[in-house]
């Protein structure tokens, strides 16, 4: 006996909900295989001081990406890093700025501009998904640390988050974010458990063994930005997550930046 409801007549949110739950089942199986009987999917074989990839997507930031994002990445107290900058059809000014950095830890790959929805709100939710997903394949590190091109890390971000991940046997860990307010003051956000609006992209560190989980170019259909959509997918798949109550990231809303477009 059937329900009499044709698949094509289901509301889009129902169809996407079914797809999300089905993908979570497949993700759980993949993660279980990577864990191979261990409690986490990463391994001590990655080394006592594993390489961490700080990943920055960019389009039209000019000098700002160098002066803020890349500079903060290179100031890390944890030294075994690579700074992977992936251009989303980066402008000539931005390319010139990045190529002016003479540090062997910085690697730059410029891709063609991704395709995004024309509506500004929907575009904001997924802009940068193409270089962010590409970076997951290009990264050489055992751990991934997302960083947006108009924000900056605390100097000890990688040291603090990686230590917590190793000591507490976590696959995904995040800290608190300081958000710059219109009056020039800073407001902190971030708590446990992870929730929409309660953590930022750049406050996160996770094992590169999860690189098979890419950003969803259609997450705007669910009303979620691509980063939060990925984090909730990881949570649904049973990724071991944890929180550190320390500020590891400084977020500058667009009104504080000389370039109005968003890179991620």
């Amino acid at each position: 006996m059937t329900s009499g409801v044709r698949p094509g007549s289901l509301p889009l949110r129902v169809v996407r909900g079914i797809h999300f739950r089905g993908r979570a089942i497949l993700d759980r199986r993949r993660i279980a295989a990577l864990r191979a009987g261990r409690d986490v999917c990463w391994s001590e074989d990655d080394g006592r001081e594993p390489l961490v990839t700080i990943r920055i997507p960019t389009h039209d930031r000019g000098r700002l990406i160098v002066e803020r994002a890349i500079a903060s990445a290179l100031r890390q107290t944890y030294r075994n890093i690579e700074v992977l900058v992936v251009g989303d059809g980066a402008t000539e000014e931005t390319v010139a700025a990045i190529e002016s950095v003479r540090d062997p830890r910085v690697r730059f790959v410029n891709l063609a501009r991704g395709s995004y929805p024309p509506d500004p709100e929907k575009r904001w939710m997924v802009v940068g998904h193409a270089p962010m997903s590409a970076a997951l394949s290009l990264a050489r590190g055992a751990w991934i640390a997302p960083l947006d091109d108009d924000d900056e890390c605390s100097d000890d971000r990688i040291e603090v988050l990686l230590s917590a991940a190793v000591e507490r046997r976590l696959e995904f860990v995040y800290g608190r974010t300081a958000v710059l307010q219109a009056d020039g003051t800073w407001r902190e956000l971030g708590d446990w458990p992870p929730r929409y609006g309660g953590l930022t992209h750049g406050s996160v560190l996770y094992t590169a063994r999860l690189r098979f989980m890419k950003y969803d170019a259609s997450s705007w259909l669910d009303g979620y930005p691509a980063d939060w959509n990925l984090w909730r997918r990881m949570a649904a798949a049973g990724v071991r997550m944890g929180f550190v109550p320390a500020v590891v990231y400084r977020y500058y809303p667009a009104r504080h930046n000389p370039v109005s477009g968003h890179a991620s």
Side-chain angles (χ1 to χ4, degrees):
M1 180 177 178
T2 64
S3 64
V5 179
R6 299 191 308 275
S9 66
L10 292 173
L12 178 61
R13 62 180 180 81
V14 175
V15 173
R16 289 187 62 82
I18 294 172
H19 174 69
F20 184 84
R21 290 189 292 273
R23 187 165 59 176
I25 293 173
L26 296 177
D27 289 340
R28 283 180 177 272
R29 292 174 180 170
R30 182 79 177 269
I31 292 169
L34 289 170
R35 287 173 179 163
R38 302 187 306 272
D39 57 338
V40 291
C41 62
W42 53 267
S43 169
E44 286 75 6
D45 293 341
D46 294 332
R48 294 184 60 183
E49 294 186 355
L51 180 66
V52 176
T53 296
I54 301 176
R55 186 273 296 137
I56 310 173
T58 194
H59 172 57
D60 60 352
R61 290 302 183 195
R63 290 293 308 174
L64 181 62
I65 184 176
V66 172
E67 296 168 356
R68 187 179 290 170
I70 293 177
S72 73
L74 295 177
R75 288 197 303 266
Q76 291 301 296
T77 55
Y78 183 86
R79 306 305 296 171
N80 193 19
I81 62 168
E82 70 160 350
V83 182
L84 174 60
V85 183
V86 182
D88 192 8
T91 61
E92 291 184 7
E93 181 185 5
T94 302
V95 170
I98 298 165
E99 291 181 343
S100 72
V101 179
R102 303 303 181 194
D103 192 302
R105 294 172 294 173
V106 178
R107 185 159 55 106
F108 177 49
V109 178
N110 197 15
L111 307 177
R113 180 68 168 163
S115 177
Y116 304 111
D119 178 83
E121 181 63 23
K122 295 173 182 176
R123 183 168 64 250
W124 168 81
M125 290 185 179
V126 296
V127 71
H129 73 79
M132 290 190 296
S133 285
L136 294 175
S137 300
L138 294 167
R140 296 169 180 160
W143 294 84
I144 306 292
L147 172 58
D148 290 347
D149 63 352
D150 55 345
D151 297 328
E152 61 186 347
C153 308
S154 67
D155 292 357
D156 60 355
R157 174 196 175 185
I158 303 304
E159 182 180 359
V160 167
L161 296 181
L162 183 59
S163 294
V166 172
E167 292 171 8
R168 294 161 55 186
R169 307 292 292 176
L170 302 172
E171 296 162 324
F172 176 108
V173 61
Y174 67 98
R176 294 178 62 80
T177 296
V179 182
L180 184 59
Q181 305 298 290
D183 63 1
T185 61
W186 294 86
R187 174 178 64 90
E188 292 187 14
L189 66 83
D191 50 28
W192 181 262
R195 57 182 175 80
Y196 183 38
L199 70 159
T200 59
H201 207 182
S203 63
V204 164
L205 175 79
Y206 63 97
T207 172
R209 303 290 177 95
L210 299 173
R211 72 175 79 234
F212 69 92
M213 305 177 81
K214 308 292 187 182
Y215 293 87
D216 186 351
S218 301
S219 67
W220 61 270
L221 290 168
D222 299 321
Y224 294 124
D227 54 349
W228 171 250
N229 199 58
L230 181 58
W231 309 154
R232 74 187 189 108
R233 179 184 169 191
M234 289 184 177
V239 170
R240 289 178 59 95
M241 294 183 163
F243 169 66
V244 177
V247 173
V248 297
Y249 196 63
R250 287 183 287 274
Y251 170 62
Y252 295 78
R255 62 179 175 273
H256 295 287
N257 296 326
V259 180
S260 60
H262 293 276
S264 58

